[in-house]
Amino acid sequence: MSAFKLKHLLAGTAMLAAAAGAVALKPTVRMAQKQPVNFESMVPKHFGQWQIDPTIAPIEVDPEIQAKLGTIYSQTLSRTYVNDQGQKVMLSIAYGEDQNAEKTQAHRPEFCYRAQGFDLNEVDVIPMTVGGRSVVARRLFTQKVNRPEPVTYWMTIGDKVALPGWRRKVTQLQYGLHGYIADGLLFRVSSIGADMSKEFAIQQTFITDLNQAIPEQVRSRIFGSN
């Protein structure tokens, strides 16, 4: 057996063993109860050069989709901020108390944008440094009629950043093996403009400023501890 095949066989065996252990353990401790968060109060409405701008809102979600999202997320936060230069960033946080079950996990924003009629192109998965933390984020370019909207997002489980994929599954199993029902969130920022380099740079500045303004006790829940 080649080293490549052996490596993948061992990885698969380890994941199956972890899954079996997670089922046997039956996690019962909810992180949401041990470390409660309230994003409406914990995310400041004014910080640094940014303040809320009520003139632009994140994309509207039709009632059917909104009803479905309401069964997944226990808290949602949608705001638009503007800085001293008139640059605007839309922030959306969708938080769910149970990331262990498929039906209650945070959903990727690609689904929401497509459902609202946006054309969508994946740009890249990038490592970002936010306040000394390493955050793996996904960047998208979406467009609907005359509304080009570059998007940056990531997802968390507990205090770990984990985009959809095998790493996210492993993180779920790790929390389960320790007896935890992990919470998690979708963090998304976007802005309106066709110049992706410019808009992503504005978003990076906003994310950095927001990290500095958020209380320490909730910072790792948004930006991760890794």
Side-chain angles (χ1 to χ4, degrees):
M1 180 181 295
S2 69
F4 178 81
K5 290 183 178 179
L6 179 60
K7 178 181 177 181
H8 282 75
L9 177 61
L10 292 174
T13 301
M15 290 187 68
L16 287 173
V23 171
L25 189 57
K26 293 183 180 179
T28 57
V29 180
R30 287 184 173 269
M31 292 187 68
Q33 295 176 345
K34 287 180 64 68
Q35 303 173 11
V37 291
N38 185 314
F39 294 102
E40 180 64 37
S41 61
M42 290 178 168
V43 176
K45 297 180 179 179
H46 181 279
F47 56 94
Q49 61 177 327
W50 301 94
Q51 60 184 339
I52 287 182
D53 176 14
T55 64
I56 297 181
I59 60 172
E60 293 289 336
V61 178
D62 69 48
E64 183 177 348
I65 296 175
Q66 186 62 54
K68 184 177 181 180
L69 295 178
T71 66
I72 299 173
Y73 301 120
S74 52
Q75 294 181 48
T76 58
L77 178 71
S78 295
R79 295 176 182 168
T80 299
Y81 290 84
V82 60
N83 66 10
D84 298 342
Q85 290 77 48
Q87 299 167 332
K88 300 181 180 184
V89 173
M90 291 168 284
L91 167 67
S92 178
I93 296 176
Y95 168 81
E97 295 184 356
D98 184 355
Q99 297 299 302
N100 286 29
E102 189 72 28
K103 65 180 181 180
T104 57
Q105 290 178 22
H107 286 189
R108 293 166 58 171
E110 288 93 323
F111 303 134
C112 184
Y113 275 92
R114 286 195 180 103
Q116 299 303 303
F118 278 75
D119 293 326
L120 186 150
N121 293 295
E122 181 171 331
V123 177
D124 208 356
V125 174
I126 63 160
M128 299 175 63
T129 300
V130 182
R133 292 175 167 86
S134 177
V135 177
V136 178
R138 179 167 285 146
R139 283 177 169 170
L140 311 169
F141 182 75
T142 73
Q143 186 161 2
K144 182 178 181 181
V145 192
N146 294 321
R147 181 183 171 123
E149 187 173 333
V151 178
T152 300
Y153 82 86
W154 62 79
M155 303 168 79
T156 69
I157 300 179
D159 62 353
K160 305 294 182 183
V161 174
L163 290 172
W166 70 270
R167 291 184 184 276
R168 187 171 180 83
K169 295 294 184 183
V170 170
T171 304
Q172 289 172 325
L173 292 174
Q174 289 173 337
Y175 276 112
L177 286 170
H178 286 86
Y180 286 109
I181 299 173
D183 58 359
L185 59 81
L186 164 67
F187 178 95
R188 185 186 81 216
V189 293
S190 63
S191 50
I192 299 174
D195 186 337
M196 287 189 292
S197 297
K198 176 183 176 182
E199 298 305 322
F200 286 138
I202 293 171
Q203 293 172 20
Q204 174 73 69
T205 298
F206 175 85
I207 291 168
T208 300
D209 293 346
L210 179 62
N211 172 73
Q212 295 174 348
I214 287 179
E216 179 62 36
Q217 65 267 29
V218 75
R219 196 172 293 163
S220 64
R221 308 295 287 283
I222 295 178
F223 301 99
S225 59
N226 48 331

